[in-house]
């Protein structure tokens, strides 16, 4: 450990990229399963189908990332395995109690993850991999659906806003606990992002928090 | 009610076709959710992804059927609603306890449903609708994966075969209970299939049972 930033070696860069693709792939696969399963909380068949479509889009991203790992000569299962426990624990500790909690989780979780991976992709020196990550994070066009549903629920019952704002804070808390765990375990990945530079990590967190606050405002919730 | 077979009127034929598309659409949507959710029972990430792929294929079928209903000028939600309770009850009463039960449910359930809808499609006099139903039932190519997994599990532990054979019988029992319920409630649909002719219904059941037995043999299980 050192405070002086070192340019990563080629091996360390590759290790970090494999980690990044691995965590992203399993994040998409588990998001697919949880979204599909949360769809059963929908109050009507149209919303159930809409959440299903979001889930299928995540599965498509998973396939792209898995196939890219295989093309790099990496076993996708090996790359994903270190991230199964943290992501499963995150989902287990944040199972939505109802449809609105499910929607907020899909929107806040997907948004935050998307911002984070986009930031990390900037540090990937292999252009095709970088582009692949950005494509996997492309807006699936379902965010607007969630915003409309949540705003309508708040208009119908103002007390919903307080409850969902608390829920979103819990989601962020649990996400940070698991991110911390990954950061400690996966040194190459952490170096890729922060390079040992605490100022840079601080700036990254500030940007992510600002964008989270914007998303909460769009939903009509206090961050 | 009469024992004499009457050709269905055009209105009755349309009502039956809407029912058929409605039940099939919701069957695909709920199969998607349950499969995606059962994927978390997988012993390894590769199998988890394979069940995810099966789920995504079901969702694609759902979209095709839903869009066809809309093109016919029918609200897909209205068409699906009468079948939500029977299908949800079926799934709730047959939640797999482990990965192998999940696989057998996917294979036996999907196969039986497929045979049944294929038989019913023969009675649909609108050619594009008939072709659409048959396309939605096309083998997603995942059946072989299930057969291999189940046979390997039986080879590793012979006691598995007895347990899974009992499980498959329970699945069939629950499916027949719900089918019975639908048959009583949806007269137009029942007329389309049986036309009041008990011999024809008996022959249909005999064909479906024979094909179920074949599937069980492929899995290495007693029907």
């Amino acid at each position: 450990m050192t405070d002086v930033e070192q340019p990563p070696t080629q091996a360390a860069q590759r290790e970090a990229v494999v980690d990044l693709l691995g965590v992203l792939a399993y994040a998409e696969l588990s998001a697919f399963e949880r979204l599909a399963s949360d769809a059963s909380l929908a109050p009507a068949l149209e919303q159930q189908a809409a959440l299903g479509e979001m889930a299928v889009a995540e599965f498509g991203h998973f396939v792209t990332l898995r196939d890219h790992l295989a093309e790099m000569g990496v076993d996708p299962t090996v790359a994903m395995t270190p991230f199964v426990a943290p992501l499963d624990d995150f989902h287990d500790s944040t199972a939505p109690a109802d449809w609105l909690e499910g929607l907020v989780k899909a929107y806040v979780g997907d948004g935050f993850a998307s911002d984070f991976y986009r930031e990390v992709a900037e540090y990937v020196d292999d252009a095709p991999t970088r582009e692949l990550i950005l494509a996997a994070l492309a807006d699936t066009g379902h965010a607007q659906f969630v915003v409309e549903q949540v705003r309508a629920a708040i208009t119908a019952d103002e007390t919903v806003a307080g409850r969902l704002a608390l829920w979103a804070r819990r989601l962020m808390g649990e996400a940070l606990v698991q991110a911390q765990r990954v950061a400690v375990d996966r040194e190459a990945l952490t170096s890729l992002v922060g390079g040992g530079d605490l100022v840079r990590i601080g700036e990254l967190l500030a940007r992510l928090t600002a964008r989270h606050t914007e998303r909460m405002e769009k939903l009509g919730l206090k961050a």
Side-chain angles (χ1 to χ4, degrees), chain A residues 52 59 61 74 85-86 88-89 93 97-98 102 104 144 166-167 172 212:
Chain A
F59 194 81
H61 296 161
V74 177
D88 283 358
D89 286 351
S93 63
D98 63 19
V104 169
Q144 193 51 37
L166 273 177
W167 167 244
M172 288 297 285
H212 170 66

Side-chain angles (χ1 to χ4, degrees), chain A residues 46-223:
Chain A
E46 279 164 42
Q47 283 103 320
Q48 199 175 343
L51 215 61
E53 264 165 45
M54 286 177 76
V56 169
E58 309 277 15
F59 194 81
H61 296 161
F62 158 71
V63 170
T64 310
L65 292 159
R66 181 195 60 188
D67 293 351
H68 188 74
L69 278 163
E71 279 161 27
M72 285 173 72
V74 177
D75 179 342
T77 296
V78 172
M80 288 191 282
T81 297
F83 308 105
V84 170
L87 280 158
D88 283 358
D89 286 351
F90 168 71
H91 285 297
D92 289 343
S93 63
T94 59
D98 63 19
W99 168 244
L100 287 172
E101 288 192 3
L103 282 185
V104 169
K105 182 175 171 182
Y107 183 73
V108 166
D110 199 55
F112 188 82
S114 204
D115 284 345
F116 173 72
Y117 293 123
R118 221 179 275 278
E119 289 270 358
V120 180
E122 297 299 319
Y123 301 104
V124 172
D125 62 8
D126 173 46
T129 299
R130 197 166 54 235
E131 279 154 29
L132 180 96
I133 292 171
L134 294 174
L137 298 172
D139 184 7
T140 51
H142 296 97
Q144 193 51 37
F145 162 77
V146 175
V147 170
E148 283 160 17
Q149 298 274 316
V150 173
R151 293 196 80 104
I154 293 171
T155 305
D157 175 4
E158 277 184 30
T159 65
V160 162
R163 180 169 71 84
L164 292 181
L166 273 177
W167 167 244
R169 257 202 290 283
R170 230 192 86 207
L171 289 173
M172 288 297 285
E174 296 288 345
L176 290 173
V177 166
Q178 299 305 332
Q180 174 76 14
R181 185 172 157 193
V182 168
V184 171
D185 283 353
R186 311 301 297 179
E187 214 179 314
L189 185 59
T190 312
S191 302
L192 183 71
V193 184
D197 182 341
L198 290 179
V199 173
R200 226 165 79 187
I201 293 182
E203 286 166 356
L204 168 65
L205 282 178
R207 283 195 301 277
L208 292 175
T209 309
R211 270 173 281 172
H212 170 66
T213 306
E214 282 169 26
R215 264 190 301 274
M216 293 294 281
E217 278 165 10
K218 271 192 197 148
L219 289 175
L221 300 175
K222 279 196 194 123

Side-chain angles (χ1 to χ4, degrees), chain A residues 19-48:
Chain A
D19 264 7
L20 181 59
L21 292 169
V23 65
L24 196 41
Y26 191 69
E28 298 283 2
L29 181 59
S30 59
F32 157 72
E33 284 175 21
R34 304 294 171 140
L35 280 174
S37 165
D38 295 346
S40 62
L41 298 168
L45 288 168
E46 279 164 42
Q47 283 103 320
Q48 199 175 343

